Each structure stands twice: as structure tokens, then as C-alpha cells.
Amino acid sequence: MGQRADAYKTSPTTGDSPLRGQPQEDFTPLWYKRSPVKKLLLLGIFAALALAPAAAARPFAAPAAPPGCDLPVQRPLWIDFGDGSVPFWEPIFAHPGIIAAASNFLVPPRLRAAGARTVYWDMHLNNRVGTPQKPAAAAGILDQADRLYLRAVASSGCASPVIALNELFGAGTATPWSDSNTQYRANVLTLLRRLAALGARPYLLVSSPPYTGGEAAQWWRDASQVADLVREVYFSGLRISKQGPLLGSRTMRDALRNSVEDFTEIGIPSSGLGVMLGFHTTPGVGSGREGLKPASAWFDVVKLEALAARQVAGEEAIGSVWSWGWGVWSKGETDPDKEAAACVWLWARDASLCDGPKLAGDGFDVSRTEGLLPAGVQCVLGTSVVTRSALAAVTRLTGDSDAALSALQERLVLAQATNLTASELDAAEAQVVARWFGGRFARYQAALARAGISRSLARSIIDTQARELKIRRSLHVAAPASAEILDWYTSYSAEPARVVDATPAPWWLGRRTHGVALSATAPAAVLTAMPGAKPLLIPTTTGFTRVTVGEPALPLGAYPLSLATPAISAALVESKQLTAFERWLLARQTAALRTTVCIRDELPSPEPVDLTGFVPFLALA
């Protein structure tokens, strides 16, 4: 967690543990010695600890509820680092509703006297168990645990203290572990088990993504039996601010969820997990304020962090949320805005804890719903939204909410990529009515009623197709080669085709007014109309094409290649444009996910979903 000052100083220790009758140092502060009640409590603890070595040999199991004197029952626990290194610990953290983590013997009793609750913070776990490169001797770990327990008891005035252990080194080290790392991990586990056996509840801070494969998975599960695991998840205020409230909040929620899932995926219950957010101010560390200005912008990010943590904690049912970085041990951490930031952090999760807007001052957004989706909105992509009612309507059509959401995201992507006027949409709808219902609007409405969909949904499905056609036919593709045209002509020589005249020149005749209409691309009526029939009026998105048919349809091979070439070339171009469009759409949908925000951050899959598969009579072509 970065460079820190010692939270307390003790004299060197040698020999056996004081729990075994040979104390080398006195952990009891004067205020403790002067209290007869606390002296009796300490004597009781020593008596209990006399039997602890035997208890340590028994199997360990997590208590039914985390210990700690007078801590709230509801979860998550919100725990804030608030010892004497925090210049503003008294005005910000010394009042009811706060659980402060502190490690000395002076500040904690004053916090409790003011109505706050406290847990014990052990700043240097490496002093107890060593490091992965240089682990401590296994024989001394029980002694270290006993001493740490006594410090925690004396500091917290509680025989069953919560102890935050800062912090595990090498969490991401893959197995097989080196001999030294194996010993280090064994030391940590021994310490955790011993503390739990003595009646404490350790909270092991984990500063980096854990490796949970191989034998490491069992180590994490073993640790979780006797301790809560708290992942440190820190964010750059500068980066989050640039992303904006919606996307920045999604970024943080995703990271917090992922940090929890690292453990739940190997069977560790979320109730025994926590997250810690950091509010450092030293520039260049990659997290915390990172020079973000003005102060109101940083306060807004702090607020969003609290809101993101509160939402994820509720969704994932995690056990604790911690804040860190309020202490001042260096010039970089000396920031006059920290006090207001800490107040905003408290206010954002519970407005009764601190007057965040007052300390934040002008320019601070006082909304405690910022970063969250508006009511009734399922997803937001830029300025476009998917409403929950729209998702429900499409889900009734598809029978699958995931497919429905993908279809709606596709619609938003297409809408942002091209314009479609109201008159163009009216013309596209008229084309559908003419193609499937002989131009009779009443039959069209009856079909919609039978399908159980509204006209507005039908028009949106038609809108999507019209935009797709507009984009598809604007994509540049290579002109078909002569060999491609000949291959197509040969492959489809037995398919129906017909010589026609058409005005204005349609795309399926290669933008010609005379040529061979192909069954693969021309409207079906063009191939089936009786010879000598009056001209057909084929609806298009821009009006009608007047088509005059001649002789009955014949196999394509009955016509010379030269006459059929423009239509074949158009069919090949259409096929290439469809392929290019599918690539374009996938890329656009995938890119859009980076700026899409949805409820619970459950984003759509970037895949095309053709809703006309469920309502074929709405197909444009």
C-alpha cells in the first residue's frame, strides 16, 4: 500500500512468548493500567491464552459472525483508516456511525469516547511473517500472533478484536511456489489461524489480483476459513473524471466486481470478502487524486467511488468496504483537500455521517444518484437510450432478453451511424405494406395485432433495416472480376431469370433500365408476373419502380452472359457489401461496448439479431 510510517513503536523482543510466562515487553498503556475493569479484562485474556496452544492444534472454522466488540450486524461493514497519521481524524471520524481502523493506544479510545467504533490496524504484516523472499522462521509465528493479539486487545479494549493485516505480498505468484514463498504463505496461514483461535477476526489485505490456480486455490480457501480477504482496488481520479460519471462509474463497478469474483469463482463466499478503495494524493502513483483539478472534480470522483462501492457491495453481498489513503506520511500526501474528500466519501454513502457539500464547496455536484442510470432506462450509449419498456417489448418477441438487448444495441449503433428521415421511414413502411399486404394498411395492422406487437415496434424494426440498407450500399467494395461473374453465371444457370424494363433503374438490374432480372435479387413479383400484364409498381424506400415484363421466366443460362452481366455484377456487389457490413457492424457494436452503460453493467453481446426472423412480414427485402 505504499510507503508508510510506523503506527506504533515497541522495544525488541526475545525469548518465549509472554503468553507462556516470560514477557519481554509491556504492551499495556497507562490508561489501561489505571482501569480496574480493563485490568480484569486483561487478566481474563491471559488466563484464556494459557490454554491457547492446545486450541491451536484443533481444526479451525470461521466464526458464525465476525467478532469485534459492538460492531454493526448489518453488512457491509464500512471501515475507514483513521489513526493518528490522519490530521483530521477527530472532526471527520470521531463520531457515531463510523468504524475507524487505527493501530495505536491513544487515538482509538478517543474515537470510541466520541461514539465511533474501532478495529485494529497492523501496518506491517511483513514484520510478523517475513516476505516471500525472506520468510520468518516458522517457530516464531505463534509468538508473533500472540503479541499482535495483545496489541489489538489493548488498542481496541475488546477481547475479540477485528485485526486488519497490511498486507499480503506476492498475491499473484503462480504455483508451483518457491521454497521461500511456500514458507511465507505457510507463515501467513499460521498467523491467521492462531489469531482466529485466540478469538480475533483477521482481515487480510490483498494488494494485487490473486493467482487462484493450482494449489494456490486451496491456500486461499484455507485462509478464508479464518480471515476475511480484502482486495485493494484503487482508481486514478484523473482517468475516472475524464470518462465522466456514467462510464467512470461503470469502470469502477466492473473492477470491484472482478476483484470479488477472483475469489468467489474458487468457492469463497462473498460474505467473507471485502474491498478497499484508496484516496492517495501523491502524484505519479497511478491511483488516488493523480493531480486532478479543480478540487471539486476530485470530490466528484470520490463521491462516485462511494456510490460504486455501495452498489457493488449490495449486489455481491460482500462483508466489508474499506477506505485508505487519508494518512499523511510524506509531502505528496499533504493535501489540504483530503479532509473534504473524506467527508464527501462518508456523505456519499450516508448523508448523516458528514456534511460533504458544505466542505466540498462550490462546483461540487451534490447529486447522490450521479453515475447511475435514470429511472426506466436499461442502457445508455452516448445520448441514446434503451428503455426498460423497449427491452420488455422486444423480449416478448424474441423470448430471450439477451437477444433482445443485442438487437436494441444494434439499433442504437445504426442510428448513430446514419440519418433516416421521417419520410424515408414512412416510405420503408409503405414498401413493407405493399410487398406483403398488397398495399392494404388494414391487413398490415391486423397482422401486427395477431403477432402481438405495436406499430411503433414494427416501425423500429423497419427503421433498423432501412438504416442497414443505407449503410450497406454506401460501403465501397471491389468490382467483381470477370471470373467471378462467369462463376456466378455458371453456378446459377438453372435459376429463373427474366428480361424486363424498369424505371427508374433499380439496383438489381445493375442500375440499368433494361436487363435480366435474377431470382436471387429481383422482387418475386417480377419473376412471377404473367406475360403481357400491366406494368408492376414495385415499392422502394424512395418511391416506386415501374417494371414492364416480357416473355415468361427462363433459366438464367438461356440468356447470353453479356446481357446478364450487369445484374450478376450487382448481385456480387450486394453480397460483398453484406459481408463488409457484417464486419463493420461487429466492429461498431464491439467498440460501442466501451461507452455503453447498462443496469448492473450487464452489457449486450455484440452480435447481429435479425428481428424479421420472428416477424417475416416486416422484411423490407
Side-chain angles (χ1 to χ4, degrees), residues 331-357:
K331 182 178 180 180
E333 292 303 321
T334 305
D335 188 323
D337 295 325
K338 268 191 178 182
E339 181 174 355
C343 182
V344 167
W345 163 259
L346 299 179
W347 166 84
R349 73 177 193 244
D350 184 342
S352 69
L353 294 178
C354 198
D355 192 346

Side-chain angles (χ1 to χ4, degrees), residues 167-415:
E167 64 197 331
L168 182 74
F169 290 173
T173 304
T175 54
W177 289 331
S178 65
D179 290 344
S180 63
N181 191 65
T182 298
Q183 182 60 56
Y184 170 75
R185 289 294 185 98
N187 287 352
V188 173
L189 195 55
T190 298
L191 184 82
L192 298 178
R193 286 172 168 166
R194 177 63 169 182
L195 290 173
L198 297 175
R201 181 63 174 183
Y203 279 64
L204 179 63
L205 307 189
V206 182
S207 63
S208 58
Y211 176 77
T212 57
E215 296 177 1
Q218 189 56 51
W219 187 91
W220 290 111
R221 286 191 287 267
D222 290 343
S224 73
Q225 289 294 305
V226 288
D228 279 50
L229 307 177
V230 180
R231 269 283 279 119
E232 300 166 35
V233 189
Y234 302 154
F235 303 101
S236 163
L238 196 59
R239 179 190 174 205
I240 298 301
S241 183
K242 288 179 178 179
Q243 289 183 340
L246 278 176
L247 187 57
S249 295
R250 192 197 83 175
T251 295
M252 293 188 290
R253 290 191 298 262
D254 282 344
L256 292 171
R257 288 190 191 95
N258 290 339
S259 71
V260 172
E261 288 170 4
D262 286 340
F263 293 117
T264 57
E265 287 176 350
I266 59 171
I268 296 175
S270 60
S271 59
L273 301 175
V275 293
M276 174 179 284
L277 291 87
F279 302 95
H280 320 80
T281 55
T282 301
V285 299
S287 63
R289 184 171 184 174
E290 280 300 307
L292 178 59
K293 293 182 179 181
S296 59
W298 185 39
F299 299 151
D300 200 42
V301 170
V302 171
K303 175 191 70 175
L304 294 176
E305 291 191 58
L307 296 176
R310 186 176 66 180
Q311 180 171 331
V312 172
E315 292 172 357
E316 304 294 333
I318 64 176
S320 60
V321 178
W322 300 63
S323 73
W324 160 258
W326 309 121
V328 175
W329 300 296
S330 66
K331 182 178 180 180
E333 292 303 321
T334 305
D335 188 323
D337 295 325
K338 268 191 178 182
E339 181 174 355
C343 182
V344 167
W345 163 259
L346 299 179
W347 166 84
R349 73 177 193 244
D350 184 342
S352 69
L353 294 178
C354 198
D355 192 346
K358 180 179 179 180
L359 266 67
D362 295 338
F364 173 63
D365 190 331
V366 299
S367 168
R368 292 172 70 233
T369 60
E370 189 185 24
L372 305 178
L373 293 175
V377 171
Q378 180 72 27
C379 293
V380 170
L381 174 56
T383 58
S384 303
V385 301
V386 172
T387 64
R388 300 183 73 176
S389 59
L391 178 62
V394 178
T395 300
R396 285 193 294 271
L397 182 64
T398 62
D400 184 297
S401 60
D402 292 336
L405 189 57
S406 292
L408 290 169
Q409 191 227 21
E410 177 183 346
R411 183 185 302 169
L412 293 188
V413 168
L414 293 176

